[in-house]
């Protein structure tokens, strides 16, 4: 807004004391201060309101006005309540620095002026941004890509001073506006995604207002139009009617603001922003078509028992698409996912496919869309991902490259559990990496077997990796529940009852003793106990259970009971 408009508003009680030739200056914000040096809080374009408490004598006016002028302040408005009038030394200093000066009548509160300026400036910015967004939308819907979500978030930041981020349903950071901390902590991203999914599942209307870590955010759903998939009835397609078909694949826009008191015009503008981002989302979905087709072809060859040479030829075609520019034959991992809803009326394969494309990330890639190097197919109720890994063998650094089930689970469990609510489950199985086409069939079976192990566990989101298939852990999920309960109760209930009555900590002592392989000194050091105290506790465990912890068989029984409890 212009300074002239402020002067023409009688309710603000402003009297111009100097700067008649500068009334066409633009006001971009307002700040109230009585600091002698407020420069650290100024960014330029402000109307500064001051009660003159910083002024002790006439010599203070010149340095104060010089600081404001150097910071690019638009004008100064001085209140008359403190001194009864605006001192002449301040008028003269403003004239020297060509800084417009207003007197504020003592009957007018600074809050009144601040509210008026903020309302006017925000309204004008929203109108300007709406026009920009509309032009950008036309460019993106009729021509080549317009720069992705980052461009739109840049508009929000520069024109509305809004910090915003685009997140996946699993809490992956897809884009952030400049100055909005693109590295938003992963815990905050996961919490925001979980709140969004929970709100969608309970049928609340967006935007959803949530508080995370003492900061208020407004969450706007970004719903896919389905133009990127081309198939009605799958996640994001026009024929999808049940919220469960899209809840695990739709993005969200998180804005650091409380939209509860926003005018309808601003809410409509943010709705337009989400539609604009949705267009980019559809483009990315369409770009995944080739990768999906490659994954489907390789999967069909593997399941049909094709010759390794034929599979290898297909992989050579896929590698440049999935790992452009690397020039080395990759290793591969297979991830199998299944999404199941109570009732079974929703097809789970497409939902799991869209979800895997969001949560699987090539660990060595970079950029705003690292999952574009993942190829995911679906068959029946299953989604199967081929995850390419550059040919860096584990022998080089002593570690195993690629995806790990526990890491994958930790990253997505909390937010996705909210989206699955109380009627859905996601189970994941991860294979070891294989170095050739001959290993793909085994990797697929390994991932499927690991997923079945995960499915036998409790919880809305479960994952298992290939490491667990060569361990006793593989057997535990398949023990019938009644056998599991009877076995653990016979061994552990006497200890739990004793701990409840005496606070003796026998269960933690047992766990530590077994974890230390029965070493008295190591276990005592871990528990910060004297060895004699440890011997007393172990003796009490043996007495209550009629077992002998020096015998391998009894140690094994206790170990399994603790794992199954």
């Amino acid at each position: 807004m212009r300074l002239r408009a402020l002067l023409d508003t009688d309710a603000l009680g402003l009297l111009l004391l100097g700067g008649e030739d500068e009334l066409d200056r633009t006001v971009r914000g307002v700040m109230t201060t009585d600091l002698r040096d407020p420069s650290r809080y100024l960014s330029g374009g402000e109307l500064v309101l001051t009660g003159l408490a910083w002024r002790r004598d006439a010599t203070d006016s010149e340095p104060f006005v010089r600081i404001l002028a150097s910071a690019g302040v638009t004008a100064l408005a001085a209140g008359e309540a403190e001194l009864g009038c605006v001192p002449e030394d301040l008028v003269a200093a403003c004239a020297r620095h060509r800084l417009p000066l207003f007197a504020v009548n003592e009957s007018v509160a600074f809050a009144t002026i601040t509210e008026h300026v903020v309302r006017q400036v925000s309204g004008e910015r929203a109108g300007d941004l709406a026009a920009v967004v509309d032009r950008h939308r036309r460019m993106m819907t009729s021509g080549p890509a317009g720069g992705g979500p980052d461009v739109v978030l840049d508009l929000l930041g520069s024109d509305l001073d809004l910090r915003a981020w685009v997140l996946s349903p699993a809490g992956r950071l897809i884009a952030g506006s400049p100055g909005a901390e693109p590295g938003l902590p992963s815990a905050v991203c996961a919490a925001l995604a979980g709140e969004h999914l929970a709100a969608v599942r309970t049928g609340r209307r967006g935007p959803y207002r949530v508080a995370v870590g003492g900061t208020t955010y407004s969450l706007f759903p970004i719903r896919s139009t389905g133009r990127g998939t081309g198939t009605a009835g799958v996640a994001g397609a026009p024929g999808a009617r049940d919220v469960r078909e899209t809840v695990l694949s739709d993005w969200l826009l998180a804005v650091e603001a409380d939209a509860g008191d926003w005018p309808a015009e601003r809410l409509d503008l943010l709705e337009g922003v989400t539609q604009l981002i949705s267009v980019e989302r559809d483009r990315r979905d369409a770009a995944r078509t080739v990768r999906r087709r490659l994954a489907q072809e390789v999967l069909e060859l593997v399941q049909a028992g094709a010759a390794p040479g034929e599979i290898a030829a297909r992989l050579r075609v896929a590698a440049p698409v999935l790992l452009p520019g690397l020039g080395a034959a990759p290793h591969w991992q297979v991830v199998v996912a299944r999404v199941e809803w109570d009732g079974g009326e929703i097809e789970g394969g497409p939902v799991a496919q869209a979800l895997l494309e969001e949560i699987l990330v090539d660990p060595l890639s970079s950029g705003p869309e690292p999952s574009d190097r993942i190829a995911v197919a679906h068959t029946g109720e299953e989604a199967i991902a081929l995850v390419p890994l550059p040919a860096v063998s584990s022998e080089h650094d002593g570690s195993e490259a690629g995806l790990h089930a526990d890491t994958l689970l930790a990253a997505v469990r909390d937010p996705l559990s909210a989206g699955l609510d109380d009627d859905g489950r996601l189970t994941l199985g991860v294979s070891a990496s294989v170095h050739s086409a001959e290993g793909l069939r085994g990797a697929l079976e390994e991932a499927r077997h690991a997923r079945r192990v995960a499915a036998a566990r409790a919880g809305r989101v479960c994952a298992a990796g290939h490491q667990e298939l060569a361990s006793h852990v593989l057997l535990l999920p398949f023990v019938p529940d009644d056998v599991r309960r009877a076995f653990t109760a016979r061994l552990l209930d006497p200890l739990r009852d004793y701990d409840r009555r005496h606070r003796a900590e026998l269960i933690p002592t047992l766990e530590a003793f077994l974890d230390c392989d029965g070493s008295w000194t190591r276990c005592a050091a871990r528990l910060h106990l004297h060895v004699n105290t440890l011997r007393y506790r172990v003796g009490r465990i043996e007495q209550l259970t009629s077992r002998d912890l020096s015998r391998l068989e009894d140690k094994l029984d206790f170990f399994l009971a603790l794992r199954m409890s």
Side-chain angles (χ1 to χ4, degrees):
M1 66 179 302
R2 305 287 182 181
L3 282 176
R4 193 179 305 280
L6 286 175
L7 193 60
D8 292 340
T9 306
D10 294 337
L12 300 183
L14 296 178
L15 174 65
L16 183 65
L17 300 180
E20 294 87 350
D21 298 335
E22 307 292 337
L23 291 181
D24 287 326
R25 288 188 180 188
T26 300
V27 178
R28 294 200 295 269
V30 62
M31 189 191 80
T32 299
T33 184
D34 275 312
L35 295 173
R36 296 170 67 86
D37 181 2
S39 57
R40 74 184 70 179
Y41 304 110
L42 298 172
S43 57
E46 295 94 347
L47 170 66
V48 172
L49 306 176
T50 180
L52 299 177
W54 49 266
R55 184 184 179 277
R56 297 170 186 169
D57 56 49
T59 61
D60 291 333
S61 293
E62 171 64 26
F64 180 77
V65 173
R66 186 170 59 249
I67 289 170
L68 299 189
S70 299
V73 166
T74 297
L76 174 65
E80 298 177 333
E82 181 75 16
L83 303 178
C85 66
V86 178
E88 286 299 325
D89 49 88
L90 182 60
V91 176
C94 287
R96 282 193 296 273
H97 290 279
R98 300 183 61 83
L99 183 67
L101 175 64
F102 297 94
V104 182
N105 190 284
E106 61 182 13
S107 64
V108 179
F110 282 177
T112 301
I113 301 174
T114 299
E115 181 181 355
H116 177 83
V117 172
V118 169
R119 185 167 60 248
Q120 294 298 317
V121 170
S122 296
E124 292 180 7
R125 283 180 178 175
D128 294 342
L129 179 58
V132 175
V133 167
D134 185 62
R135 290 196 302 272
H136 199 70
R137 180 188 295 113
R138 290 197 298 271
M139 284 192 302
M140 290 186 69
T141 53
S142 61
D150 302 272
V151 174
V152 185
L153 298 185
D154 187 21
L155 294 176
L156 286 179
S158 61
D159 288 74
L160 287 184
D161 294 329
L162 290 176
R163 294 153 50 87
W165 302 264
V166 176
L167 305 176
S168 80
R172 179 170 64 87
L173 183 62
I174 295 168
S177 54
E181 299 176 18
L184 194 67
S186 58
V188 175
C189 292
L192 292 175
E195 294 280 1
H196 162 74
L197 292 174
V200 172
R201 289 306 313 273
T202 54
R204 288 169 52 195
R205 292 175 59 87
Y208 318 114
R209 287 177 292 158
V210 301
V212 176
T215 301
T216 299
Y217 299 87
S218 295
L219 309 180
F220 295 81
I222 300 174
R223 296 185 173 90
S224 174
T225 65
R227 288 194 294 270
T229 60
T231 306
V234 303
R241 292 183 295 272
D242 193 310
V243 67
R244 293 176 295 179
E245 295 184 12
T246 59
V247 67
L248 298 181
S249 58
D250 284 344
W251 289 354
L252 68 138
L253 174 68
V255 180
E256 189 182 296
D258 186 345
D261 56 355
W262 282 4
E265 293 80 6
R266 178 170 283 207
L267 290 173
D268 290 344
L269 176 61
L270 265 292
E271 180 65 26
V273 169
T274 64
Q275 293 172 5
L276 194 56
I277 296 173
S278 180
V279 171
E280 180 63 21
R281 168 68 189 275
D282 291 338
R283 275 212 170 92
R284 295 189 183 192
D285 282 345
R288 288 171 172 164
T289 302
V290 173
R291 291 186 293 278
R292 287 176 174 179
R293 186 182 306 119
L294 288 171
Q296 195 71 42
E297 291 175 356
V298 172
L299 176 63
E300 290 173 356
L301 289 174
V302 170
Q303 294 190 124
E310 187 177 357
I311 299 173
R314 178 53 53 190
L315 287 177
R316 283 194 293 273
V317 172
V321 176
L322 298 174
L323 287 171
L326 286 186
H331 300 170
W332 301 89
Q333 270 184 291
V334 177
V335 180
V336 173
R338 190 179 181 110
V339 175
E340 298 171 287
W341 303 100
D342 292 351
E345 68 275 10
I346 297 175
E347 187 180 359
V351 177
Q353 180 185 44
L355 185 58
L356 275 186
E357 287 174 335
E358 288 298 337
I359 66 176
L360 289 181
V361 176
D362 180 348
L364 296 184
S365 68
S366 60
E369 192 59 54
S371 64
D372 275 352
R373 294 179 175 182
I374 306 293
V376 186
H378 75 85
T379 173
E381 294 299 308
E382 249 181 6
I384 301 169
L386 290 175
V387 182
L389 304 173
V392 178
S393 64
S394 59
E395 294 84 10
H396 291 169
D397 58 7
S399 61
E400 183 178 355
L403 297 168
H404 297 266
D406 52 353
T407 304
L408 195 61
L409 180 63
V412 304
R413 178 171 47 204
D414 290 343
L416 293 184
S417 294
L420 294 161
D421 197 22
D422 59 355
D423 62 348
R425 290 198 78 204
L426 166 67
T427 50
L428 299 162
V430 182
S431 78
S433 62
V434 295
H435 309 160
S436 64
E438 290 90 339
L440 272 183
R441 183 176 181 85
L444 175 59
E445 291 306 313
E446 191 173 59
R448 281 175 166 162
H449 203 152
R451 192 207 64 80
R452 288 193 289 270
V453 170
R457 296 171 176 166
R460 289 289 160 195
V461 181
C462 298
H466 63 93
Q467 303 94 335
E468 302 178 49
L469 302 185
S471 165
H472 67 279
V473 177
L474 171 64
L475 303 176
L476 298 185
F478 300 100
V479 176
D481 287 344
D482 54 344
V483 175
R484 181 196 303 261
R485 284 192 296 269
F487 182 74
T488 57
R490 185 180 305 115
L491 280 174
L492 301 183
D493 279 2
L495 306 182
R496 292 180 178 134
D497 292 341
Y498 192 86
D499 280 348
R500 224 173 359 252
R501 293 196 308 269
H502 302 284
R503 297 182 180 179
E505 298 188 354
L506 296 184
I507 291 289
T509 300
L510 175 62
E511 291 175 332
F513 186 73
L514 294 175
D515 195 41
C516 292
D517 299 322
S519 168
W520 296 100
T521 54
R522 282 196 290 128
C523 184
R526 175 180 294 190
L527 296 175
H528 305 290
L529 298 174
H530 192 278
V531 173
N532 289 341
T533 304
L534 176 61
R535 291 185 184 277
Y536 172 80
R537 287 188 184 181
V538 170
R540 180 63 67 182
I541 292 171
E542 293 175 333
Q543 180 185 19
L544 291 170
T545 59
S546 301
R547 296 296 184 111
D548 182 357
L549 277 168
S550 65
R551 298 179 66 246
L552 176 61
E553 294 87 346
D554 289 340
K555 286 180 182 177
L556 180 59
D557 284 347
F558 276 122
F559 176 78
L560 293 174
L562 289 169
R563 293 301 298 265
M564 288 192 293
S565 62

